[in-house]
Amino acid sequence: MATFTSSLPNDLLEMLDEHAKKLEIPKNKLIEKALRLYLEHLKRAAYVKSYSQAKEDKDMVNLAEEGMAEYFKQIEESQTKILLEKNI
C-alpha cells in the first residue's frame, strides 16, 4: 500500500473527524471508503451518459434495431423447433 499526503479544508477535516469517531473507524479508512464510493459513482455516471449519447446516434440505434430483429428471429426459430419436436 502506498502513502498519500494531502491537505483538506478545515471544515471538511472536522466533518471527517466527527464521522470517523461516530463510526469508530480510522480516518484513512473512511477516506478510502468515501473515495471508492465516489469513483464508482463517477463510473456509473459515465456509463449512463454513454447510453444517453448512443440513443442520439442514428447508426447506433439502427445497429441495435438490427440486432433486436435478429434476436427475435432466433427466438421465433427456437419456438418453432420446440413445437415441431413436441409434435414428432
Side-chain angles (χ1 to χ4, degrees), residues 27-42:
K27 287 185 268 189
N28 67 317
K29 294 297 180 188
L30 182 55
I31 292 169
E32 181 181 335
K33 185 168 184 74
L35 184 56
R36 284 185 190 279
L37 288 170
Y38 182 69
L39 293 175
E40 187 60 35
H41 169 77
L42 291 177

Side-chain angles (χ1 to χ4, degrees), residues 9-56:
N10 289 338
D11 64 322
L12 188 55
L13 193 55
E14 288 173 14
M15 289 172 37
L16 174 64
D17 192 46
E18 288 173 22
H19 285 286
K21 286 179 183 174
K22 190 184 304 182
L23 296 169
E24 299 179 347
I25 60 173
K27 287 185 268 189
N28 67 317
K29 294 297 180 188
L30 182 55
I31 292 169
E32 181 181 335
K33 185 168 184 74
L35 184 56
R36 284 185 190 279
L37 288 170
Y38 182 69
L39 293 175
E40 187 60 35
H41 169 77
L42 291 177
K43 183 178 174 182
R44 282 192 301 268
Y47 185 72
V48 168
K49 183 179 178 182
S50 72
Y51 271 91
S52 295
Q53 290 172 338
K55 74 178 182 182
E56 303 299 325

Side-chain angles (χ1 to χ4, degrees), residues 64-82:
E65 288 174 351
E66 289 173 11
M68 288 304 294
E70 180 63 27
Y71 174 70
F72 288 135
K73 180 181 172 189
Q74 289 175 1
I75 290 175
E76 195 172 296
E77 289 171 355
S78 295
Q79 289 174 337
T80 301
K81 182 179 176 183
I82 291 169

